[in-house]
Amino acid sequence: MRTDQILTRLERVFARLDREPERPAHLQTPQMSRHRVVLLGSTLAFYLAIVVAVLTTSWLVRLDWQIMFFRPYEQWPQLHAFLDYLVVLGQRGPTAVMVAAWLGWRSWRQHTLRPLITLGVALLLLNVTVGSVKLGLGRLGPHYATEIGSAELFAGGDIFPSGHTANAVVTWGILAYLASTVVTRRVLSVVSAVVSLSVGATTVYLGTHWVSDVLLGWSAGLLILLALPWFEPLIARTEAYVFDVREALRRRAETGRMPAPVVSALTPLLSAGGKWQLRPVTEPAEEPAAAPAATLVATIGGHSPAPRSAVHPAAGRQHVIRSERTPVTPAGSRRPAHTERSSSRGTAARPVAGG
């Protein structure tokens, strides 16, 4: 696909986004209210409490081992096939594609890039916060545990907190965060909570996570959703920057695209080496209607015509002095001189003129 076709399609997309948003006027961007700050502080305290409980190998670690030995997947094997599919709702790739498709349609309809940018910011925060804790604590999962009753920390693992659970909270919770009406926001909040709780419980059933992993994953995802209003100015600046880049690219495409040279005719000229060359014809300057034959022959032979440097004293017009006039015949004779044959006959050479 050519570059101009790509720019045309992008221009059509951004032309729709340039229109005014269709969001209801009564629904404002979520703000960091006092209620949200209280929820954020409580969730952060719960998050730290779980980390401390695991670090100190408290009763929470003993509960992890008890449920691990209980083996829920053996107690209810009939649920295994269904829960294998349900846990996909917490995987990063499939859920991000589904939610991004929905928010892309929302961006198209509301003529704004805010939904997609908000999803990108939330996923970036999720990767940074959850990933750093995973790698920092290095906890092993139930299937790889080596010492009964141990917290299995700093052993090279990466399952604390649960990434499936935190991703389910953020990915499905972002739909409620970006809801267009209050009723829709409440309904989607309940749906996202049910989905995230189900995904976390499923990981415990399958034996891939400890109970404490799931608890920390829930709180980690909720912290990101609660802190998103602090990033709204960044989201707005990012959207404005994207549109500015679009405008710069459009101006560059309009001013920097040079038209291709159009050649109406090509004149074949014989070069000095005997090869044909194709040269574009340019508009000639003002010249006499009929060029002298000597000038045309001299041009084809590779010579430039002699300058008109003398003026006749009587007629007052330019003409070429005989001493400066270019010979009519091209350089070099087309026939051999035959000097030997002429000298053998003893006759003088025939004159050029008069014969």
Side-chain angles (χ1 to χ4, degrees):
M1 186 180 295
R2 297 183 349 184
T3 305
D4 53 351
Q5 295 178 349
I6 297 176
L7 291 175
T8 302
R9 294 187 179 183
L10 288 177
E11 184 63 29
R12 292 176 182 175
V13 174
F14 280 103
R16 182 175 178 86
L17 293 176
D18 281 339
R19 296 171 55 188
E20 291 297 326
E22 293 182 356
R23 288 179 294 175
H26 64 276
L27 186 62
Q28 302 296 330
T29 302
Q31 303 295 326
M32 206 63 185
S33 61
R34 181 179 300 179
H35 178 69
R36 186 179 289 268
V37 172
V38 172
L39 287 178
L40 179 65
S42 303
T43 306
L44 181 59
F46 182 72
Y47 183 96
L48 296 176
I50 295 174
V51 174
V52 172
V54 173
L55 288 174
T56 57
T57 317
S58 64
W59 61 271
L60 186 57
V61 176
R62 293 193 297 270
L63 178 63
D64 290 338
W65 281 96
Q66 290 174 1
I67 296 180
M68 183 265 190
F69 286 128
F70 181 70
R71 291 183 174 85
Y73 56 88
E74 293 182 356
Q75 301 297 328
W76 302 285
Q78 63 276 9
L79 300 176
H80 201 290
F82 170 73
L83 295 180
D84 273 340
Y85 290 101
L86 180 63
V87 78
V88 177
L89 296 177
Q91 290 183 357
R92 186 71 49 82
T95 56
V97 171
M98 290 186 289
V99 174
W102 169 259
L103 294 181
W105 180 81
R106 285 277 308 278
S107 295
W108 175 266
R109 183 172 181 178
Q110 295 181 350
H111 320 300
T112 176
L113 294 176
R114 178 175 173 265
L116 287 176
I117 297 176
T118 304
L119 175 63
V121 171
L123 293 180
L124 180 61
L125 291 174
L126 179 66
N127 290 333
V128 172
T129 56
V130 175
S132 59
V133 176
K134 278 176 172 288
L135 298 178
L137 296 179
R139 192 180 190 187
L140 294 175
H143 292 314
Y144 302 96
T146 57
E147 183 180 353
I148 297 177
S150 172
E152 300 294 337
L153 293 172
F154 310 109
D158 58 351
I159 55 96
F160 183 69
S162 171
H164 276 69
T165 306
N167 182 72
V169 174
V170 172
T171 306
W172 302 110
I174 203 71
L175 298 179
Y177 180 84
L178 295 171
S180 56
T181 62
V182 177
V183 176
T184 305
R185 179 175 296 176
R186 292 176 181 175
V187 172
L188 290 178
S189 297
V190 175
V191 172
S192 62
V194 172
V195 172
S196 59
L197 290 173
S198 301
V199 170
T202 300
T203 59
V204 176
Y205 167 87
L206 296 175
T208 56
H209 280 286
W210 309 99
V211 174
S212 55
D213 298 341
V214 174
L215 294 177
L216 196 64
W218 282 332
S219 57
L222 188 58
L223 283 175
I224 294 174
L225 290 179
L226 292 174
L228 271 180
W230 280 335
F231 295 89
E232 285 293 340
L234 174 63
I235 294 171
R237 288 195 299 269
T238 303
E239 183 180 15
Y241 174 77
V242 171
F243 281 103
D244 290 342
V245 171
R246 188 280 307 263
E247 290 295 332
L249 292 177
R250 184 170 63 178
R251 287 195 300 268
R252 181 180 300 177
E254 293 177 352
T255 59
R257 190 179 301 168
M258 300 299 295
V262 179
V263 179
S264 58
L266 293 175
T267 303
L269 296 177
L270 185 62
S271 65
K275 298 181 181 179
W276 291 90
Q277 293 182 346
L278 298 179
R279 301 176 184 175
V281 176
T282 57
E283 291 295 332
E286 295 184 359
E287 295 181 355
T295 305
L296 178 60
V297 174
T299 303
I300 296 178
H303 300 279
S304 59
R308 299 176 179 180
S309 56
V311 180
H312 195 277
R317 56 185 179 87
Q318 286 187 343
H319 69 281
V320 181
I321 302 175
R322 181 177 297 272
S323 60
E324 298 180 357
R325 188 175 300 170
T326 305
V328 175
T329 57
S333 176
R334 296 183 181 180
R335 298 179 59 185
H338 302 292
T339 55
E340 297 178 359
R341 185 172 58 182
S342 300
S343 60
S344 62
R345 293 181 182 182
T347 59
R350 297 177 63 182
V352 176

